[in-house]
Amino acid sequence: MSKKCFAIIHVRDLNRFPKDTVVEPELLLQAGLLRKRGDEVKLLSDGELEHPLTIRVHHISKNALKKVEAAAGKVEVIAS
């Protein structure tokens, strides 16, 4: 049985992307926020989101979801 690897991203890390960007794992990899392709991405709530984004991640904490929605953003959960 193999152990799943999660890449942890925080809400504050997403402010580097322009307003209305679709943030998905490939973009996170290009930006240097992910170490390797294939890790599942989990978004946690540290920090604040300053503008709306569409975020595609595998997992998200309840507080992170609230912060994204408070900034008029959207979250799409990617199937694992």
Side-chain angles (χ1 to χ4, degrees):
M1 189 163 131
S2 66
K3 187 174 140 188
K4 283 190 180 188
C5 292
F6 292 99
I8 302 298
I9 304 295
H10 296 280
V11 169
R12 69 172 175 258
D13 297 330
L14 302 177
N15 288 315
R16 69 182 65 197
F17 300 108
K19 180 181 175 184
D20 298 325
T21 299
V22 176
V23 179
E24 51 194 352
E26 187 63 31
L27 182 61
L28 295 169
L29 185 68
Q30 292 170 9
L33 292 170
L34 294 186
R35 279 183 237 154
K36 63 180 183 174
R37 217 174 238 106
D39 284 353
E40 291 190 9
V41 179
K42 183 166 188 172
L43 183 64
L44 298 181
S45 65
D46 284 359
E48 298 297 326
L49 189 60
E50 297 166 359
H51 49 267
L53 298 169
T54 298
I55 302 162
R56 299 186 73 232
V57 293
H58 300 91
H59 308 276
I60 185 168
S61 73
K62 288 179 185 176
N63 286 334
L65 178 60
K66 287 179 189 174
K67 288 182 177 189
V68 171
E69 290 174 342
K74 293 183 256 178
V75 173
E76 297 173 14
V77 176
I78 303 168
S80 305

